[in-house]
Amino acid sequence: MWLAALAILIGLAILVWSADVFIDGATALAKKFSVPSFLIGVLILGIGTSAPEMVVSVLAAIEGSPELALGNAYGSNIINIALVLGATVLISPIIIRRGIVKRDLPLLLLITVIAAWQLRDGTLSQVDGIVLLILLVAVLGLQIIMSIREGYHEHEDDIVVANADSEHSNNLEHLNNSESLEKLEPSVTRGLVSLIIGMLMLVASSRAIVWGAVELATLWGLSELIIGLTIVAVGTSLPELVSSLSAARKGEHDMALGNIIGSNIFNTLAVVGLATVIAPIAADPVILSRDVMAMGVLTILLVTLCVFAFKTKRQFGRTSGATLVLFFMGYTAWLIQSVSM
């Protein structure tokens, strides 16, 4: 018991440190290669921070507990939006860009609908898993093509303002061009090293936290499904939480939102898809009536709040964040009540 508690404490300390390293590396690479921050958030942060969910779900499927994998993935999606994004915008409001409303949020909503439709009969077959993995490749390809095509067009106003200040510095940059070229490679190397070390430490520390939490929960007699939906889901969502908070604190708002959207897409398509291919899942009916429904309602709520913020030209701010956090509290209370009944 004491070893489990120690793993949680040490894991939390390493988690916070590794998140800063991870975001610094991602930010450096985004700036060096002129990659949109949102795309970095979707691909690198979203997929990278979903590694714990992938590890937990694959191991659960291999060990004959595929329902834990399903609870982990869907529980993480709920927590990513309600707790992670809610807490992030409470601290630092986010500006909603056109591409997020027109492309990324509709994609997330469509994927959520597909997940619910596949579970309509209470089972997920290997064919369902293959379909999810094919959709993953198609969605990621579309994200890459569209984000690169749009580039920084959504930030043109910022660029126009910056141009006045940058004109004076351009002459100095030309004079020091050779010196800049010499510094480029080490900067890229440092960015990659920070990114890799940060990601590895995020995964390792979150695994330590999850192990400790599951050990304690097992001693307290909690069911496998509830452990997956709450403790394991929260634990494996810690990388998203700390990396999104770190990104928002550093002013990388697009990266923070891209992290959440990318992580949820990856959880639904890759984590559930791979676990289902390994072992078909016969889901408890309560997953569809409670957890998938909560995930769907929360996704619709997120789309509504973002569209409202975009249409009214307001930030996705503290009122929306408080709404999402209240949803998380209500969902958690619902879980506790369902266990006690």
Side-chain angles (χ1 to χ4, degrees):
M1 179 175 180
W2 289 110
L3 183 59
L6 185 62
I8 293 174
L9 292 175
I10 295 177
L12 283 172
I14 297 176
L15 192 71
V16 173
W17 170 80
S18 59
D20 274 343
V21 175
F22 187 42
I23 295 299
D24 287 342
T27 303
L29 292 178
K31 290 179 178 178
K32 284 296 180 184
F33 296 108
S34 297
V35 177
S37 294
F38 185 83
L39 183 59
I40 290 290
V42 169
L43 295 182
I44 298 181
L45 270 65
I47 295 177
T49 56
S50 289
E53 284 92 340
M54 175 65 78
V55 172
V56 169
S57 295
V58 168
L59 290 177
I62 292 174
E63 294 170 2
S65 300
E67 193 174 58
L68 176 61
L70 201 60
N72 175 34
Y74 293 158
S76 292
N77 283 357
I78 293 169
I79 291 168
N80 282 346
I81 298 175
L83 179 61
V84 176
L85 184 58
T88 299
V89 298
L90 276 174
I91 295 172
S92 180
I94 294 173
I95 297 174
I96 302 300
R97 308 291 181 185
R98 182 183 300 274
I100 294 172
V101 172
K102 299 292 186 181
R103 180 192 66 241
D104 303 299
L105 288 174
L107 267 177
L108 179 61
L109 184 59
L110 175 62
I111 290 168
T112 303
V113 170
I114 292 173
W117 181 80
Q118 285 188 332
L119 267 175
R120 69 194 184 284
D121 58 355
T123 61
L124 287 176
S125 65
Q126 289 181 321
V127 173
D128 290 328
I130 292 173
V131 169
L132 292 176
L133 294 178
I134 292 174
L135 284 174
L136 173 69
V137 175
V139 168
L140 291 181
L142 179 63
Q143 289 277 0
I144 293 172
I145 293 172
M146 295 302 295
S147 292
I148 292 177
R149 180 179 297 175
E150 290 177 3
Y152 287 102
H153 292 309
E154 294 181 337
H155 301 268
E156 284 179 351
D157 291 340
D158 298 335
I159 295 173
V160 169
V161 173
N163 279 342
D165 293 330
S166 63
E167 285 179 2
H168 176 69
S169 61
N170 282 341
N171 293 331
L172 293 176
E173 289 179 3
H174 285 301
L175 291 175
N176 297 317
N177 189 45
S178 59
E179 184 178 344
S180 298
L181 290 174
E182 293 176 1
K183 292 181 179 180
L184 175 61
E185 186 173 350
S187 297
V188 172
T189 301
R190 283 196 298 270
L192 285 172
V193 170
S194 296
L195 190 71
I196 294 172
I197 292 177
M199 184 183 299
L200 291 176
M201 296 306 293
L202 275 172
V203 174
S205 57
S206 64
R207 288 296 296 138
I209 294 170
V210 169
W211 175 83
V214 170
E215 286 292 310
L216 293 178
T218 304
L219 290 175
W220 296 335
L222 295 180
S223 70
E224 180 182 275
L225 177 59
I226 295 301
I227 290 175
L229 286 168
T230 56
I231 296 174
V232 175
V234 172
T236 54
S237 291
L238 283 175
E240 285 91 342
L241 176 59
V242 293
S243 60
S244 291
L245 288 173
S246 178
R249 181 169 55 84
K250 295 174 183 292
E252 295 289 345
H253 301 119
D254 283 359
M255 194 177 290
L257 184 56
N259 178 22
I260 302 303
I261 294 177
S263 180
N264 278 25
I265 290 175
F266 193 77
N267 286 343
T268 304
L269 298 181
V271 175
V272 176
L274 188 56
T276 305
V277 168
I278 294 173
I281 300 174
D284 190 319
V286 74
I287 292 181
L288 183 60
S289 63
R290 182 191 62 201
D291 307 307
V292 174
M293 185 179 74
M295 183 174 67
V297 170
L298 185 57
T299 304
I300 293 172
L301 177 61
L302 173 63
V303 173
T304 303
L305 292 173
C306 287
V307 169
F308 176 78
F310 176 73
K311 293 293 185 181
T312 58
K313 300 187 183 302
R314 298 179 180 177
Q315 289 182 319
F316 186 74
R318 293 180 175 84
T319 301
S320 298
T323 302
L324 294 176
V325 172
L326 285 174
F327 187 100
F328 171 74
M329 295 171 64
Y331 171 74
T332 303
W334 190 7
L335 281 179
I336 295 173
Q337 182 183 18
S338 68
V339 173
S340 59
M341 291 178 60

